[in-house]
């Protein structure tokens, strides 16, 4: 049913030509609407840059300032639940501004990576390989739609749970607007601005995930090609050598693809690692001590969205590291013993390079892996423990 509204989440038949870059169709459309790409028609270049500047100033700078000013001006009017709901969003919002800026500035790098994908697609000629590409492209688009639904669910549930009690969901400061006398006007303005911020955050979170889904697609294809080396009898040694050289080139293209994206994702994941423990800790305190049933549902959805920002990507990075070892095993287990000297020397060189795992780092400090993600999440329990030991929750109530 969902595929009727979003046709690209359904695997396309082999009769249709699908490229690896098609996995970013929905993501690219949303990024384009925020001014993070370039217009197709150069005639609108100036207008597009002005729109991009406006959105950047409004969401990256003015929105976090609006939340901060509200804390300063009306801090005493916050209830404990309102404050925690606002501060958990506020902390994440500052991080989101940095992540969004890094993603926006990484546009050229993403385009370079897509050029590498186009070269890798040229190797997918048989139906079996094209089927794998089609499947991963559909999965990439599905990831975006799934995240979009999850983030939208949080936005709507959080807004409705507070507005039904006539309480502001995020407590933002708007000049010349009285939040009590003009409650509904300010609430609608809040949800519109927060919607923009949430969907920008969505783009920064989904972009690394889809990129690694497609990287793993071509790693899987390369593993199959390595297993099939020298498996067709009757071919000459020159043909076998060319087949091996093509696999070396494929591996180089995969590395170029990952290297083009490395600097973009390094910054965004580093910021998220720094925030995830604090944000989840504040959310857990809110649920344990201050939430009602309606607000608790919104907080749980928020925690799920925060966890989705790093967990799937870290899991994929772990799988890619395992894939690199499997590629080396596939190459070594291929039928190379009867090959000539040229083939064997090329294979030894290739085997040495392919054994190096593809490892991404966050800020050049933390390896992006499940272990790092779990270590950062543990900070949330530290925050909750501190609050319980010092009875801070009772002092807020």
């Amino acid at each position: 049913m969902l595929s009727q509204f979003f046709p690209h989440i359904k695997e396309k038949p082999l009769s249709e030509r699908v490229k690896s870059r098609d996995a970013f169709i929905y993501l690219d459309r949303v990024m384009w609407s925020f001014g993070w790409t370039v217009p197709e028609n150069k005639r609108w270049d100036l207008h597009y840059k002005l729109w991009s500047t406006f959105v950047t100033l409004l969401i990256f700078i003015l929105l976090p300032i609006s939340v901060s000013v509200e804390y300063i001006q009306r801090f005493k009017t916050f209830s404990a639940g309102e404050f925690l709901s606002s501060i958990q969003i506020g902390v994440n919002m500052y991080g989101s501004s940095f992540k969004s800026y890094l993603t926006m500035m990484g546009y050229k790098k993403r385009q370079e990576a897509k050029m590498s994908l186009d070269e890798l697609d040229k190797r997918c000629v048989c139906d079996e390989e094209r089927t794998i590409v089609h499947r991963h492209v559909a999965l990439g688009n599905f990831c975006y739609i799934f995240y979009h639904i999850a983030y939208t669910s949080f936005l709507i549930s959080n807004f409705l749970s507070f507005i039904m009690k006539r309480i502001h969901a995020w407590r933002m400061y708007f000049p010349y607007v009285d939040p009590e006398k003009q409650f509904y006007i300010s609430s609608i303005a809040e949800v519109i601005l927060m919607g923009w911020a949430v969907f920008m955050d969505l783009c920064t979170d989904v972009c690394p995930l889809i990129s690694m889904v497609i990287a793993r697609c071509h790693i899987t294809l390369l593993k199959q090609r390595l297993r099939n080396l020298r498996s067709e009898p009757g071919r000459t040694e020159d043909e076998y050598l060319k087949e091996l050289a093509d696999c070396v080139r494929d591996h180089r293209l995969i590395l170029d693809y990952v290297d083009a994206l490395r600097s973009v994702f390094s910054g965004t994941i580093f910021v998220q690692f720094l925030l995830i423990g604090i944000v989840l800790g504040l959310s857990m305190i809110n649920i344990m001590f201050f939430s009602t049933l309606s607000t608790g549902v919104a907080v749980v959805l928020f925690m799920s969205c925060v966890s989705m920002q790093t967990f799937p990507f870290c899991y994929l990075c772990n799988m890619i590291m395992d894939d690199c070892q499997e590629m080396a095993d596939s190459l070594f287990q291929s039928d190379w013993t009867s090959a000539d000297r040229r083939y064997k020397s090329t294979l030894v060189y290739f085997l040495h390079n392919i054994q190096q795992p593809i490892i991404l780092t966050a800020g050049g400090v933390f390896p992006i892996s499940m272990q790092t993600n779990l270590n950062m999440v543990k900070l949330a329990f530290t925050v909750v423990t501190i609050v319980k030991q010092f009875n801070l929750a009772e002092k807020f109530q």
Side-chain angles (χ1 to χ4, degrees):
M1 179 179 177
L2 198 60
S3 60
Q4 295 178 351
F5 300 98
F6 306 103
H8 294 289
I9 68 173
K10 185 178 180 181
E11 184 179 335
K12 300 292 183 181
L14 292 177
S15 57
E16 295 186 31
R17 190 65 184 174
V18 174
K19 297 181 178 180
S20 295
R21 62 168 61 216
D22 292 339
F24 301 89
I25 285 178
Y26 294 127
L27 177 64
D28 285 342
R29 289 176 184 175
V30 178
M31 285 187 172
W32 177 86
S33 69
F34 289 138
W36 291 7
T37 61
V38 294
E40 294 182 4
N41 192 333
K42 294 297 182 182
R43 186 175 81 174
W44 300 103
D45 192 55
L46 178 60
H47 301 81
Y48 191 76
K49 287 180 178 177
L50 290 173
W51 170 251
S52 178
T53 303
F54 168 74
V55 172
T56 300
L57 289 173
L58 181 64
I59 306 300
F60 292 4
I61 300 173
L62 296 181
L63 184 58
I65 290 175
S66 172
V67 175
S68 300
V69 170
E70 184 71 9
Y71 293 147
I72 297 170
Q73 288 199 345
R74 300 186 176 90
F75 181 78
K76 293 183 179 179
T77 65
F78 279 85
S79 66
E82 282 181 300
F83 177 74
L84 285 171
S85 296
S86 180
I87 195 67
Q88 68 190 22
I89 298 293
V91 171
N92 201 55
M93 189 184 299
Y94 276 98
S96 176
S97 295
F98 283 107
K99 292 193 303 178
S100 299
Y101 176 76
L102 292 170
T103 303
M104 181 177 67
M105 298 305 293
Y107 172 74
K108 290 184 178 179
K109 290 290 186 180
R110 295 199 306 274
Q111 294 304 109
E112 289 178 17
K114 289 178 181 179
M115 296 296 289
S116 297
L117 289 180
D118 292 340
E119 292 298 315
L120 286 165
D121 285 341
K122 293 177 182 179
R123 288 271 284 151
C124 303
V125 291
C126 68
D127 288 348
E128 182 183 0
E129 292 183 339
R130 289 182 58 208
T131 298
I132 292 174
V133 173
H134 286 215
R135 186 181 306 125
H136 282 81
V137 166
L139 177 61
N141 286 307
F142 177 78
C143 286
Y144 176 82
I145 296 302
F146 179 79
Y147 272 63
H148 193 101
I149 292 172
Y151 283 39
T152 303
S153 299
F154 154 71
L155 183 71
I156 294 174
S157 63
N158 195 69
F159 176 69
L160 293 178
S161 64
F162 278 91
I163 202 170
M164 286 189 297
K165 297 187 293 184
R166 212 175 188 282
I167 299 174
H168 288 279
W170 296 287
R171 296 291 294 264
M172 300 178 189
Y173 171 76
F174 298 106
Y176 311 112
V177 176
D178 189 313
E180 299 304 325
K181 294 181 180 179
Q182 298 168 300
F183 173 77
Y184 290 105
I185 293 176
S186 59
S187 294
I188 291 172
E190 282 181 4
V191 76
I192 291 174
L193 290 176
M194 186 55 65
W196 278 17
V198 165
F199 294 135
M200 282 187 178
D201 201 29
L202 164 67
C203 291
T204 65
D205 297 334
V206 176
C207 185
L209 180 62
I210 297 177
S211 299
M212 288 302 104
V213 165
I214 296 302
R216 190 157 190 266
C217 166
H218 287 285
I219 289 173
T220 301
L221 292 173
L222 180 55
K223 283 193 296 183
Q224 291 185 358
R225 292 168 191 152
L226 292 173
R227 292 191 194 102
N228 295 330
L229 286 173
R230 299 179 63 85
S231 61
E232 297 181 24
R235 303 182 70 178
T236 65
E237 288 297 327
D238 287 339
E239 289 176 328
Y240 286 140
L241 182 62
K242 182 181 181 302
E243 190 178 31
L244 178 62
D246 287 339
C247 290
V248 174
R249 180 174 172 273
D250 292 342
H251 183 249
R252 182 67 260 173
L253 285 170
I254 291 172
L255 294 180
D256 290 342
Y257 172 75
V258 175
D259 288 342
L261 298 171
R262 193 182 298 275
S263 60
V264 181
F265 300 156
S266 175
T268 57
I269 300 299
F270 178 73
V271 172
Q272 191 55 44
F273 274 160
L274 294 180
L275 292 177
I276 185 171
I278 298 173
V279 173
L280 287 179
L282 292 170
S283 300
M284 290 171 67
I285 293 167
N286 195 358
I287 289 178
M288 293 171 65
F289 301 108
F290 303 108
S291 289
T292 61
L293 178 61
S294 57
T295 57
V297 171
V299 175
V300 169
L301 285 172
F302 175 72
M303 293 177 66
S304 301
C305 293
V306 171
S307 299
M308 287 164 58
Q309 291 175 348
T310 55
F311 174 78
F313 182 64
C314 290
Y315 181 70
L316 263 180
C317 288
N318 270 51
M319 294 182 73
I320 287 175
M321 285 188 275
D322 294 338
D323 287 336
C324 291
Q325 182 58 50
E326 291 178 10
M327 280 196 295
D329 293 341
S330 298
L331 178 59
F332 184 74
Q333 292 169 7
S334 63
D335 185 18
W336 56 268
T337 53
S338 60
D340 62 12
R341 184 176 179 181
R342 290 182 305 160
Y343 187 97
K344 289 181 179 178
S345 60
T346 304
L347 184 139
V348 170
Y349 170 78
F350 187 27
L351 186 61
H352 172 74
N353 287 311
I354 210 171
Q355 285 177 319
Q356 309 301 317
I358 298 175
I359 299 176
L360 298 177
T361 59
V365 180
F366 311 114
I368 301 176
S369 64
M370 285 300 298
Q371 185 61 46
T372 305
N373 189 55
L374 291 173
N375 289 338
M376 295 300 172
V377 170
K378 287 177 184 177
L379 180 59
F381 297 96
T382 304
V383 173
V384 174
T385 302
I386 292 172
V387 170
K388 292 181 71 175
Q389 285 183 346
F390 290 92
N391 296 321
L392 296 179
E394 295 179 5
K395 294 177 183 178
F396 273 111
Q397 287 175 336

